[in-house]
């Protein structure tokens, strides 16, 4: 879906140095950003947080083209990126996708994370566990920071997992981390199911 020159440039712009607390790109700091040094970490129960890109410049356009302008073919590029991360960092650890809001697929016809995990499962043979479901229909991109934090607290619940063996370690997958509220809400549900170690991988993180 991308020409060779654009793909090469984008790959060169992946985050190289991440904060161990929140995953944001570090430029001058070491290990932790200043915010994580000065206060309690945003993701206190996540083992690692691994965003691939900072959500800036052409990367913002890339997500818009995929998620809003319906260029679904970009999922092959994102799938290749994610598979490389899972093979290098999280090999053989099951993936739990952040679920879409209710009726999104019925209304729009597709969901970007569902497309992504379909590629990861069918093409790359990775293990996908759909343990979560979302209860609210509000689009978080339309909310401010405080409203996002409030709305996300009870937005995610466990799906029926009877007779399913819950893995002790998982990777939570989302497209973009903004405030961290979605990750924290999903994290609490997964911990209640018996998951002991939670990692988070996202395509983008807002600086």
């Amino acid at each position: 879906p991308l020409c060779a020159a654009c793909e090469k440039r984008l790959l060169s712009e992946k985050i190289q140095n991440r904060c161990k607390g929140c995953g944001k790109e570090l430029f001058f700091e070491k290990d932790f950003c200043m915010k994580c040094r000065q206060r309690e970490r945003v993701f206190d129960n996540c083992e690692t947080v691994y965003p691939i890109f900072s959500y800036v410049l052409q990367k913002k356009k890339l997500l818009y083209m995929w998620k809003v302008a319906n260029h679904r073919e970009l999922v092959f590029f994102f799938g290749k990126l994610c598979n490389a991360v899972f093979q290098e960092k999280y090999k053989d650890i099951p993936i739990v996708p952040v679920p879409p809001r209710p009726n999104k697929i019925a209304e729009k016809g597709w969901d970007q994370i569902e497309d992504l995990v379909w590629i990861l499962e069918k093409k790359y043979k990775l293990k996908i566990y759909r343990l979560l479901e979302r209860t609210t229909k509000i689009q978080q991109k339309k909310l401010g920071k405080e409203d996002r934090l409030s709305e996300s607290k009870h937005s995610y619940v466990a799906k029926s997992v009877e007779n399913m063996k819950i893995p002790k370690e998982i990777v939570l997958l989302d497209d973009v981390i903004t405030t961290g509220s979605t990750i924290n809400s999903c994290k609490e549900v997964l911990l209640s199911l018996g998951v002991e170690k939670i990692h988070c991988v996202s395509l983008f993180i807002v600086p």
Side-chain angles (χ1 to χ4, degrees), residues 49-196:
V49 182
Y50 195 98
I52 299 175
F53 293 114
S54 286
Y55 186 59
V56 295
L57 304 174
Q58 292 300 315
K59 276 84 72 181
K60 293 179 70 173
K61 181 178 181 181
L62 188 66
L63 183 62
Y64 175 87
M65 294 297 291
W66 181 41
K67 190 173 179 177
V68 181
N70 296 320
H71 284 269
R72 292 179 69 179
E73 68 276 8
L74 285 167
V75 74
F76 291 100
F77 171 70
F78 291 124
K80 182 168 67 173
L81 276 177
C82 286
N83 180 60
V85 170
F86 291 127
Q87 295 302 326
E88 179 185 356
K89 302 286 185 181
Y90 308 106
K91 192 172 180 63
D92 299 326
I93 301 177
I95 300 165
V96 176
V98 172
R101 68 180 187 277
N103 300 324
K104 178 182 177 181
I105 294 177
E107 295 168 0
K108 187 177 180 180
W110 70 289
D111 172 68
Q112 70 279 2
I113 297 298
E114 276 299 309
D115 270 20
L116 182 57
V117 295
W118 191 89
I119 290 290
L120 294 174
E121 185 176 35
K122 302 301 182 183
K123 182 174 182 178
Y124 297 107
K125 310 303 180 184
L126 301 184
K127 296 178 183 178
I128 307 297
Y129 280 67
R130 292 173 174 83
L131 300 178
L132 303 169
E133 62 182 356
R134 185 171 167 180
T135 58
T136 57
K137 298 182 180 181
I138 300 172
Q139 295 186 52
Q140 289 200 351
K141 66 182 181 182
K142 296 181 178 180
L143 302 176
K145 181 177 180 179
E146 295 302 321
D147 290 331
R148 278 176 182 259
L149 293 171
S150 176
E151 192 270 341
S152 289
K153 284 183 179 179
H154 307 290
S155 294
Y156 299 92
V157 297
K159 295 181 71 172
S160 177
V161 292
E162 291 183 15
N163 302 319
M164 181 186 292
K165 185 177 180 181
I166 303 298
K168 295 298 183 183
E169 184 174 18
I170 64 94
V171 180
L172 187 64
L173 177 63
D174 203 1
D175 56 349
V176 58
I177 298 174
T178 304
T179 63
S181 56
T182 294
I183 300 302
N184 283 330
S185 180
C186 292
K187 175 190 68 182
E188 294 303 321
V189 177
L190 292 169
L191 289 172
S192 72
L193 289 174
V195 177
E196 296 176 356

